[in-house]
Amino acid sequence: MDEKTMEPRGGVRALVGTALMAAVLCVLGPLSVPIGPVPVSLGTLGIYCAVYLLGWRRGALSVLIYLLLGLAGLPVFSGFAGGLARLAGPTGGYLMGYLPMAVIAGFAVERWERRAAQFAGLAVGTAVLYAFGTAWYCVLTGSGLMAALALCVLPFIPVDLGKMALAAALCPVVRRRVQRAGMA
C-alpha cells in the first residue's frame, strides 16, 4: 500500500474505497445553492476529499463513476438533477471539468508532502475546472468571456478556497486514522 495516498494495490478494499467516495459525491453533489446560472455545490469538496483519501487514480475513477451515474439519470447533480441534458447543458462543462480537476489535484496531493504545494495543486485543478466550464458555458450561451467569468467563476473563488482549506486540513488526518485502523 502507498502510505501517502491510502491507495491499496488492489482488491476489495480498493473497490470499496472507490465506491464509497463515488457515493459521497452522489450525496454531496446535489446539495447546492443556486446563485446564478451555476450553483454553488459541495461536489468539489467531495472531489478534494476523494483525491486526498484515494489518490489521483482511484479518486478520478470515483468521479467518473459519479458522472456516469448522473448521465444514467440518477439525481446526483446539483439540485437533484441527472441525465444527458444536464451534462450537455450550459453548466455541463463544469461537471465534465471534474475529471481533469481530480487528476491534477490528486497528482499534486500524491507528489508533494507540503500542504502549501498540495493546496496549490487543488487550486490549479480547480482553475482547470473553471476553464472547462466557462468555455462550455460561453459556447452554449453565446456569452462573452468577461461576462461568463463574472457570473460563473468570480463568485465561486472564495467558496472553493474554503472547501480546499477544509479538505487540506481534515483529509490528511482522516487518511492517517484509516491507515492506523488497518482499513487501508
Side-chain angles (χ1 to χ4, degrees):
M1 173 186 310
D2 182 346
E3 295 298 320
K4 284 176 50 179
T5 64
M6 284 187 23
E7 187 170 300
R9 291 186 183 99
V12 174
R13 287 184 182 159
L15 292 173
V16 169
T18 303
L20 181 61
M21 288 313 299
V24 167
L25 281 167
C26 289
V27 170
L28 293 178
L31 303 177
S32 60
V33 177
I35 64 167
V38 180
V40 174
S41 166
L42 291 178
T44 51
L45 176 62
I47 295 169
Y48 301 142
C49 292
V51 299
Y52 262 104
L53 298 174
L54 300 175
W56 76 267
R57 288 176 189 89
R58 295 196 202 292
L61 181 57
S62 69
V63 171
L64 179 61
I65 292 167
Y66 163 76
L67 291 172
L68 290 173
L69 290 170
L71 178 63
L74 288 166
V76 296
F77 298 147
S78 65
F80 297 94
L84 180 59
R86 182 56 71 110
L87 282 172
T91 61
Y94 294 100
L95 290 167
M96 296 312 292
Y98 279 180
L99 269 175
M101 181 182 101
V103 170
I104 292 166
F107 180 78
V109 167
E110 282 186 28
R111 177 111 168 112
W112 297 297
E113 291 186 26
R114 292 185 50 224
R115 293 254 176 112
Q118 292 174 347
F119 192 89
L122 296 178
V124 170
T126 303
V128 170
L129 163 75
Y130 291 160
F132 268 75
T134 303
W136 186 253
Y137 182 83
C138 288
V139 167
L140 287 187
T141 65
S143 293
L145 179 60
M146 296 311 290
L149 289 173
L151 279 173
C152 303
V153 174
L154 295 178
F156 298 88
I157 293 172
V159 175
D160 284 337
L161 288 171
K163 289 186 266 186
M164 287 179 229
L166 181 63
L170 294 179
C171 291
V173 173
V174 171
R175 182 178 59 220
R176 283 191 301 274
R177 289 189 181 189
V178 168
Q179 286 172 337
R180 267 190 254 140
M183 296 169 43

